[in-house]
C-alpha cells in the first residue's frame, strides 16, 4: 500500500484529456492527498493477525480461569454438602 501517485504525470494526463493546467494540477494534488490520507487509516494483514493472536490468548486465559474457578466452587460445594450431611 505504499504506492505513491505521480502528481506531475497525473496532471499531464488530465491536461491531455482537456483540463486546463490549473485544474489538472489541482485535481492531481487532491487525488494524491485523498489517497494518502486514506492509507493512514488502513491496517495490514500482519497487524490484524497479531491483534487476533493477542485476543485469542486473552480468550483462552479467561476460559481456563473460569473453568478453574468453576471446579473450585464445585469442590467447595461438595465438601460443604458432605459437612452438612455429617452434622445432620
Amino acid at each position: 500500500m505504499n504506492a505513491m501517485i505521480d502528481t506531475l504525470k497525473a496532471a499531464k494526463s488530465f491536461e491531455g484529456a482537456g483540463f486546463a493546467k490549473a485544474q489538472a494540477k489541482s485535481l492531481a494534488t487532491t487525488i494524491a492527498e485523498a489517497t494518502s490520507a486514506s492509507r493512514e487509516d488502513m491496517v495490514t494483514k500482519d497487524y490484524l493477525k497479531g491483534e487476533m493472536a493477542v485476543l485469542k490468548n486473552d480468550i483462552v486465559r479467561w476460559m481456563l480461569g473460569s473453568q478453574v474457578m468453576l471446579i473450585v466452587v464445585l469442590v467447595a460445594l461438595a465438601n460443604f454438602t458432605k459437612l452438612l450431611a455429617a452434622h445432620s
Side-chain angles (χ1 to χ4, degrees), residues 18 50 69 80:
M69 288 302 298
F80 183 69

Side-chain angles (χ1 to χ4, degrees), residues 70-86:
L70 179 61
I71 291 169
V72 168
V73 167
L74 290 175
V75 168
L77 185 60
N79 287 335
F80 183 69
T81 54
K82 285 180 188 177
L83 182 67
L84 285 178

Side-chain angles (χ1 to χ4, degrees), residues 3-52:
M4 299 295 290
I5 293 178
D6 184 351
T7 55
L8 181 59
K9 184 177 176 182
K12 286 183 180 181
S13 176
F14 292 138
E15 281 182 64
F19 283 89
K21 187 172 185 168
Q23 289 174 322
K25 191 175 180 181
S26 176
L27 182 57
T29 302
T30 302
I31 290 172
E33 288 173 356
T35 56
S36 68
S38 64
R39 262 190 246 115
E40 292 172 2
D41 295 333
M42 292 184 175
V43 296
T44 63
K45 286 182 183 179
D46 291 335
Y47 174 80
L48 287 177
K49 285 178 184 177
E51 290 297 309
M52 287 174 58

Side-chain angles (χ1 to χ4, degrees), residues 53-65:
V54 168
L55 292 174
K56 182 180 175 182
N57 289 338
D58 288 346
I59 290 170
V60 169
R61 276 190 297 153
W62 278 101
M63 288 182 67
L64 289 175

